[in-house]
Amino acid sequence: MYLRASVSSLLRRIRRFPSGSITVKTPPAVAANLGALPLYANTMNCSYPVHGFAGRNSYGYVSLWCMAYAQAAIFLGICSDPIFAEGNSVESKSGDDPEDAETIGLRRVDDGSVISNEHTMKWRIFTDNGRDSFSKGKLEEAEKFFLSALKEAKKGFGERDAHVASACNNLAELYRVMKAFDKAEPLYLEAVKILKDSFGPEDIRVGAAFHNLGQFYLVQRKLEDARSCYEQALKIKGRVLGFNHTDYANTMYHLGKVLDLQGKDKESEAFIVDSIRILEEGGEEQSILYTRRLRHLAQLYLKSNRLLDAETIQRKILHTMELLKGWDALDTVMAAEVLALTLQSTGKLREAYELLERCLDARKRLLPEDHIQIGANMLHLARVAMQYSDQLKNRSISDATILLDKAKYFLENCIRITKQVLRKVTRRKTWFSKEDSAESRRNARIAMIILMQSLDSLGLLEVTRQESLDSREGSAPVAEAENAFLGCIDAYKEFGQEGSASGSIEVRNEYLSCLKHLLSLLSDGAQAARPPRKVTVQELKDEIGHIESEISMARR
């Protein structure tokens, strides 16, 4: 267990406002998950001296689709929680689950009054049918129902009624999901105008509509428009709901995300920290919503190289996940791995190593023995062990040697697992099939990156063993290093068919790192007299130039 501390007692707060609130019903969520699992990628520094290599080396860390690196730079995949207008209550819900601008779902903004006639009955039926069609992924069918609902709302309630605004909002949200942005924007704006005319500019329904419009602009990265909408929504919600209401905090959090994207780090942090404080004071410290906001705050700190602040937040996240789910849940394992990687970057190698060992034990219980996550976990452990060995070599050569042996064991097993994964994909020929899922291609690419990194790390380990520990095996470790780097070339050729994972820039970059390390090894004076078994120095230089050219072209 990690020390539990209130974020509000550790972080700078923004100005506190007087409290006040009214009760606002939360709309029912219609479960749907139309997005892929997230992929995170990151680069961290991991360095130790290597004979024959210029300077100190940096190694990139690439996670799996279900690993949550705090230093995440890439997020692929969208979760969804659709919410639909039903016309029977006032809603200020703004899609705060999963708190992402790319939320797929329909958020309602409607009126509480009901007028009973033929058209209002049809409006309700069409709205319900549209909701059901959307939840089943039948978007074109849902569009027809929502268009009919809008038509009946105008006939049943009048052109400027709040139910028409609700119907406009539903249709706009559907168009946002369909990325028909040109159709969505006029409907959002019409909903805002109707609500303003009906209830006044300070009504909570107007605030909810502005929040939805802000989400729409944020999806398109129209950051100034998104910021303006969120600021208007925040002003209304603060005045009506109170400055300590959770829905006020939700808009505050999203505004913080916009400011983050605009590069306004201090303002962004202040809004996000205070949105977390509100959840804490509302007794939601063990909610998933709370941990999501903490993760985002930790990412802000990592981006600005505030590693100790990030570590504090990550310890709190892990503590929360332990309470919520225990160690028999991958979410807890991910939180622990995130913390371990930050501990590695701050030099707390023993704790990082022990935490990663615990992650590996948990994954072995929860996953098949050849799962790619287990391989990646082993790669992390090996790299931490190599750094830890370098830290210990001046105090205890025997302890340092034991750690290098463990690192080698982890790397060899990681190489075995990733090759199994890639060969399974090759047998299915999923890389070449038009029906191949994005998830399969992504997993193959990640497995290839992990394989390249493992072979590269294994080569560096063998060179380190000879140079740092003065091995008695003569030139044998150098030969082993050469074999590991050559293994990168073999793997790239074996799994490098056109259209495969090897075509990605990330894979090419890892392959290029292997080539350069092998070139440095073969160019060293001690090795110059012995020709390599598979490639010459000139062939390596030619291949490096070719890969660099491919990377340059791919980035244009």
Side-chain angles (χ1 to χ4, degrees):
M1 290 294 178
Y2 292 89
L3 179 64
R4 185 181 184 188
S6 172
V7 170
S8 58
S9 67
L10 298 169
L11 307 172
R12 178 176 58 82
R13 302 182 187 178
I14 62 172
R15 180 170 64 88
R16 295 280 297 277
F17 295 95
S19 63
S21 64
I22 63 172
T23 301
V24 178
K25 292 173 63 179
T26 301
V30 180
N33 192 347
L34 308 180
L37 291 167
L39 164 68
Y40 295 86
N42 172 55
T43 299
M44 292 179 62
N45 290 328
C46 171
S47 58
Y48 43 89
V50 179
H51 178 66
F53 293 77
R56 298 171 71 84
N57 304 287
S58 294
Y59 310 105
Y61 281 86
V62 179
S63 170
L64 307 178
W65 30 266
C66 52
M67 295 168 133
Y69 283 17
Q71 298 87 345
I74 300 174
F75 181 85
L76 303 179
I78 302 168
C79 295
S80 60
D81 191 5
I83 300 168
F84 300 82
E86 297 178 4
N88 57 1
S89 65
V90 179
E91 303 295 341
S92 67
K93 177 83 171 178
S94 312
D96 60 353
D97 186 6
E99 292 208 323
D100 199 289
E102 284 84 6
T103 302
I104 293 179
L106 307 185
R107 300 175 295 269
R108 66 183 178 188
V109 179
D110 50 31
D111 180 35
S113 62
V114 176
I115 302 173
S116 180
N117 59 43
E118 176 186 358
H119 299 296
T120 61
M121 292 176 64
K122 287 182 178 180
W123 164 77
R124 178 175 293 281
I125 292 170
F126 285 136
T127 298
D128 289 343
N129 288 342
R131 175 188 60 199
D132 292 339
S133 296
F134 180 87
S135 68
K136 296 174 183 177
K138 299 178 180 180
L139 301 186
E140 292 183 2
E141 184 177 288
E143 179 186 8
K144 293 178 182 178
F145 282 125
F146 284 135
L147 283 169
S148 297
L150 177 59
K151 179 180 178 181
E152 296 300 330
K154 290 181 178 179
K155 290 181 178 179
F157 298 104
E159 291 282 338
R160 310 305 296 172
D161 186 84
H163 291 81
V164 176
S166 172
C168 287
N169 181 79
N170 281 347
L171 187 56
E173 291 277 274
L174 177 66
Y175 284 143
R176 176 175 63 83
V177 171
M178 298 171 69
K179 298 190 183 302
F181 298 132
D182 57 331
K183 294 182 180 180
E185 185 171 19
L187 290 165
Y188 279 120
L189 295 173
E190 181 68 8
V192 171
K193 188 175 188 305
I194 291 174
L195 291 170
K196 277 185 174 182
D197 293 344
S198 298
F199 305 108
E202 299 299 316
D203 189 84
I204 188 61
R205 286 157 285 205
V206 177
F210 271 125
H211 184 107
N212 289 352
L213 185 57
Q215 294 284 79
F216 169 73
Y217 286 133
L218 182 52
V219 168
Q220 301 173 80
R221 292 300 185 263
K222 295 181 177 179
L223 299 181
E224 275 302 318
D225 291 332
R227 178 179 177 176
S228 175
C229 289
Y230 283 134
E231 286 176 340
Q232 292 181 76
L234 193 65
K235 179 181 177 182
I236 295 170
K237 289 183 179 182
R239 186 170 297 174
V240 177
L241 302 177
F243 299 104
N244 286 309
H245 194 280
T246 54
D247 202 49
Y248 174 81
N250 176 46
T251 297
M252 179 183 287
Y253 171 73
H254 283 85
L255 177 56
K257 292 173 69 175
V258 172
L259 293 168
D260 177 26
L261 292 171
Q262 290 183 316
K264 299 177 181 180
D265 297 341
K266 291 184 178 180
E267 294 177 64
S268 172
E269 178 189 342
F271 279 110
I272 292 173
V273 166
D274 221 47
S275 76
I276 292 170
R277 173 190 60 78
I278 292 171
L279 290 182
E280 287 177 348
E281 293 177 354
E284 297 188 42
E285 291 177 280
Q286 294 185 19
S287 68
I288 297 300
L289 191 66
Y290 180 68
T291 58
R292 286 194 183 110
R293 294 186 187 179
L294 288 178
R295 288 192 190 104
H296 192 89
L297 181 60
Q299 290 171 13
L300 286 180
Y301 291 149
L302 288 165
K303 187 174 67 173
S304 58
N305 203 35
R306 293 167 60 182
L307 300 181
L308 294 179
D309 288 333
E311 178 188 328
T312 298
I313 299 300
Q314 288 166 356
R315 287 184 186 277
K316 189 168 182 65
I317 293 170
L318 178 56
H319 175 76
T320 302
M321 296 310 300
E322 286 177 319
L323 292 175
L324 289 175
K325 299 187 176 183
W327 273 88
D328 288 329
L330 286 175
D331 286 344
T332 305
V333 176
M334 295 176 214
E337 185 174 61
V338 167
L339 173 58
L341 295 176
T342 300
L343 292 171
Q344 179 189 6
S345 64
T346 58
K348 299 174 183 177
L349 300 178
R350 179 173 180 175
E351 187 180 0
Y353 184 84
E354 291 172 350
L355 202 51
L356 286 171
E357 278 191 317
R358 191 172 184 186
C359 290
L360 183 60
D361 289 341
R363 282 193 167 104
K364 286 181 176 179
R365 292 195 308 270
L366 298 170
L367 299 169
E369 62 180 7
D370 60 347
H371 197 284
I372 189 65
Q373 280 195 58
I374 293 176
N377 201 147
M378 289 178 169
L379 174 59
H380 299 323
L381 263 169
R383 285 174 157 166
V384 173
M386 291 165 73
Q387 280 185 280
Y388 196 17
S389 172
D390 184 58
Q391 191 178 86
L392 292 178
K393 68 181 180 182
N394 293 328
R395 299 202 302 267
S396 174
I397 289 294
S398 61
D399 289 345
T401 303
I402 290 171
L403 279 170
L404 281 186
D405 289 340
K406 287 183 178 181
K408 183 174 182 178
Y409 167 81
F410 290 133
L411 290 172
E412 289 175 342
N413 278 278
C414 179
I415 291 166
R416 174 184 56 80
I417 290 171
T418 50
K419 284 185 175 180
Q420 286 179 351
V421 171
L422 289 164
R423 283 169 183 153
K424 285 179 183 178
V425 175
T426 302
R427 283 197 297 270
R428 292 197 303 267
K429 296 183 178 180
T430 55
W431 285 345
F432 311 101
S433 172
K434 291 182 179 179
E435 290 76 26
D436 180 27
S437 68
E439 181 180 333
S440 295
R441 291 193 301 271
R442 183 171 63 239
N443 292 342
R445 183 178 71 252
I446 293 170
M448 190 68 180
I449 292 170
I450 294 171
L451 177 57
M452 292 283 104
Q453 291 183 349
S454 299
L455 289 164
D456 191 39
S457 295
L458 182 58
L460 294 175
L461 182 151
E462 295 296 355
V463 176
T464 301
R465 185 194 297 277
Q466 171 150 2
E467 174 64 18
S468 300
L469 304 180
D470 193 22
S471 173
R472 297 179 181 179
E473 299 177 7
S475 62
V478 177
E480 290 298 321
E482 183 182 317
N483 287 335
F485 294 134
L486 288 170
C488 289
I489 298 176
D490 293 338
Y492 193 82
K493 289 180 179 178
E494 181 177 358
F495 306 110
Q497 300 93 339
E498 183 178 356
S500 75
S502 295
S504 73
I505 290 180
E506 298 94 339
V507 172
R508 287 172 179 154
N509 278 327
E510 298 301 334
Y511 178 51
L512 184 62
S513 176
C514 287
L515 293 175
K516 289 182 176 180
H517 288 155
L518 179 56
L519 178 62
S520 296
L521 181 67
L522 298 181
S523 299
D524 181 68
Q527 296 295 311
R530 182 173 65 82
R533 290 189 297 274
K534 293 186 178 181
V535 294
T536 65
V537 169
Q538 186 56 50
E539 286 172 337
L540 275 175
K541 290 180 178 179
D542 292 341
E543 179 71 354
I544 288 171
H546 174 68
I547 297 299
E548 286 178 337
S549 177
E550 286 187 346
I551 293 172
S552 178
M553 291 290 292
R555 284 175 174 165
R556 291 180 183 176

